[in-house]
Amino acid sequence: MALIRSLLHLLVMIITVIPYTLTILLVRLLGGSPAARYRVARAWLKLCVDSARWIVGIRTRITGMEHLPKDSPQGAVLLVKHQSAFETFLMPAIMPRPLAYVFKKELLKIPFFGWSIGSLDMIHIDRSQRARAFVHVIKRGKQLLGQGVWVIMFPEGTRTARGEKGAYQASGARLAIEAGVPVVPVAVTSARCWPAKALVKTPGIVDVSIGRPIPTTGRKSDELMREVEDWIEAEMRRLDPEAYR
């Protein structure tokens, strides 16, 4: 039954991405603003999250929304634990500001999905050219933050299995320091229901814990990222102790 529900949810996402993508492309063709295109994309992402609840039984429990600097004009860099695709759908659906993901350019080649994200104000990079990619992240990230868009990054770089920890990279901290904005750490237990690189999803609760903004003025990137890593990993153990026995 779990396999059938998972396949049905996947089918819903595949079918619905087509009209939403065509709408985004039409809005762009007609000269619609980036904000208008983002609203269409956000509606599809919210549909993916809602259908995961309706079909599979994946619910979310969110704490710490009051910590978000939603009234601050300076923006923020969100640094999020990455266990599955679920948080990539969830974050734009729950955040009060538009988000810009930093992602590998290969995703642009995915039919419909790639066309959509290529039409949004996101930051795509070539991972084979690390130095150039970082310069692009800093330059474009500062532009978007200045426009009121929050930048979201997964500091581990790729999805990690439940109960595991990847190597945290300091690029998100460096962007925040360069831009003069705080970082907001976010812990997500998505692998409890939607395992990394797995087809079958199971019912349950995904906990999302949003930490307090961490000021970046006068900080060094490595030391700042260690603070973010310590908070996220400690929070993951609190939220999902079974995974860390």
Side-chain angles (χ1 to χ4, degrees):
M1 183 59 72
L3 176 60
I4 294 174
R5 289 176 180 269
S6 299
L7 290 174
L8 180 58
H9 180 241
L10 178 61
L11 181 62
V12 167
M13 291 194 295
I14 291 173
I15 292 174
T16 58
V17 74
I18 297 172
Y20 278 94
T21 295
L22 295 178
T23 302
I24 290 171
L25 295 178
L26 179 60
V27 171
R28 183 178 186 180
L29 181 64
L30 296 176
S33 66
R37 284 176 257 150
Y38 182 85
R39 285 194 294 269
V40 178
R42 184 179 184 274
W44 179 71
L45 295 169
K46 188 175 186 305
L47 175 63
C48 293
V49 173
D50 290 343
S51 59
R53 183 176 73 252
W54 302 331
I55 298 171
V56 184
I58 299 176
R59 295 169 290 146
T60 56
R61 182 168 52 202
I62 305 169
T63 58
M65 287 291 287
E66 70 277 6
H67 296 155
L68 292 171
K70 48 184 174 291
D71 297 324
S72 172
Q74 67 177 151
V77 175
L78 306 183
L79 299 177
V80 183
K81 180 71 177 180
H82 195 20
Q83 289 192 328
S84 78
F86 184 73
E87 50 268 15
T88 63
F89 299 125
L90 179 66
M91 290 299 124
I94 66 173
M95 289 295 163
R97 291 281 189 89
L99 302 182
Y101 277 98
V102 177
F103 63 90
K104 57 185 180 182
K105 69 174 186 177
E106 288 79 5
L107 294 180
L108 295 171
K109 299 177 182 178
I110 301 175
F112 295 101
F113 178 80
W115 306 342
S116 291
I117 59 177
S119 298
L120 302 174
D121 277 343
M122 303 285 174
I123 307 171
H124 55 272
I125 59 173
D126 183 349
R127 286 184 173 179
S128 66
Q129 301 184 34
R130 291 185 177 273
R132 183 177 297 179
F134 176 71
V135 171
H136 177 62
V137 168
I138 296 297
K139 181 180 179 180
R140 186 65 179 135
K142 289 172 71 173
Q143 289 175 345
L144 292 170
L145 287 163
Q147 296 167 12
V149 176
W150 292 353
V151 176
I152 179 170
M153 300 177 71
F154 300 120
E156 292 165 289
T158 189
R159 291 168 290 180
T160 58
R162 185 183 180 194
E164 294 186 3
K165 179 174 75 72
Y168 279 67
Q169 305 299 317
S171 54
R174 291 176 67 181
L175 168 60
I177 291 170
E178 291 264 357
V181 302
V183 297
V184 178
V186 182
V188 185
T189 64
S190 55
R192 182 189 286 158
C193 304
W194 188 325
K197 303 175 183 178
L199 175 62
V200 179
K201 312 174 189 78
T202 57
I205 296 176
V206 172
D207 280 297
V208 179
S209 179
I210 302 167
R212 296 181 183 277
I214 303 174
T216 60
T217 303
R219 303 292 297 271
K220 295 183 178 179
S221 58
D222 291 343
E223 169 251 336
L224 176 60
M225 185 51 69
R226 280 196 298 272
E227 182 176 345
V228 170
E229 177 181 350
D230 290 345
W231 187 91
I232 289 177
E233 293 302 321
E235 191 69 357
M236 291 297 296
R237 284 162 174 75
R238 185 185 73 81
L239 296 171
D240 192 10
E242 292 182 0
Y244 293 92
R245 288 177 178 173

